[in-house]
Amino acid sequence: PVFGLLGSAAAPAVLDTRRPGARRARITVAVAAIIAAVAAVPPYLSERYTTDAYRNWQSDLQRAYSDLDRAADLNPFAHDPLQAEGAIAREAGDRERAAEALRAAIERTPDEWASHYLLGRVLERGDPDGAERELAIAAELNPRSEMVRAALSELQDRPLRGE
């Protein structure tokens, strides 16, 4: 809507063919509109695939993973598809896939606390030290989260490893 309003506001000046450069202005506006549309489509589709994966993973897990791979490819800057894959894989019991996806999400956006939190929860059983490290990072990035503090406290209160 914003681009449409902007275009309609500029339209009278662009259509004035008596002014020198009016044709060039029309072409510039058209090119800008095309670039804006092309730039907006991949992130939109990425979000749609991610939402569909969250909605349908319990009935078709492989399709959800496929949708999330496609979403991650469409928007190589977003961590959401990878984080979704990690959360879904964790719920599905595939800790290895969950950890891999969450590490990839952290590579894209290291300051996103939720990826660290989810990775910490995934690592609790197999790598308690790694889990504690990830939960500590999540707590540092989001110090007000009761959920993160509770998970970190729960992990630290467990008996020493190997006992």
Side-chain angles (χ1 to χ4, degrees):
V2 173
F3 290 114
L5 292 173
L6 182 62
S8 65
V14 172
L15 293 176
D16 186 4
T17 56
R18 296 173 302 198
R19 289 184 22 219
R23 178 173 164 77
R24 186 172 40 190
R26 276 196 311 258
I27 292 171
T28 302
V29 169
V31 168
I34 291 169
I35 290 172
V38 168
V41 169
Y44 169 77
L45 290 175
S46 176
E47 188 64 32
R48 287 287 307 262
Y49 283 123
T50 302
T51 301
D52 287 347
Y54 270 129
R55 187 177 303 129
N56 301 319
W57 73 270
Q58 291 175 321
S59 61
D60 192 351
L61 185 59
Q62 291 310 312
R63 178 172 176 224
Y65 287 151
S66 176
D67 285 348
L68 291 168
D69 286 343
R70 193 173 299 120
D73 290 343
L74 282 168
N75 193 351
F77 303 109
H79 67 275
D80 296 332
L82 296 167
Q83 195 176 66
E85 181 178 353
I88 289 170
R90 178 178 175 239
E91 287 297 314
D94 189 348
R95 290 189 356 232
E96 186 175 319
R97 184 175 191 138
E100 184 179 319
L102 291 166
R103 284 186 180 109
I106 289 169
E107 280 183 34
R108 286 189 181 186
T109 53
D111 293 336
E112 171 56 43
W113 71 271
S115 297
H116 291 281
Y117 169 77
L118 289 169
L119 181 56
R121 298 307 302 233
V122 167
L123 296 176
E124 283 177 331
R125 288 187 187 150
D127 181 7
D129 292 333
E132 187 172 347
R133 210 172 24 256
E134 291 301 325
L135 290 171
I137 293 169
E140 183 180 317
L141 292 171
N142 188 4
R144 294 184 177 176
S145 173
E146 290 290 328
M147 179 176 61
V148 173
R149 284 198 305 251
L152 186 57
S153 177
E154 178 185 313
L155 185 64
Q156 290 171 338
D157 290 344
R158 287 184 184 169
L160 292 174
R161 294 132 185 83
E163 288 184 10

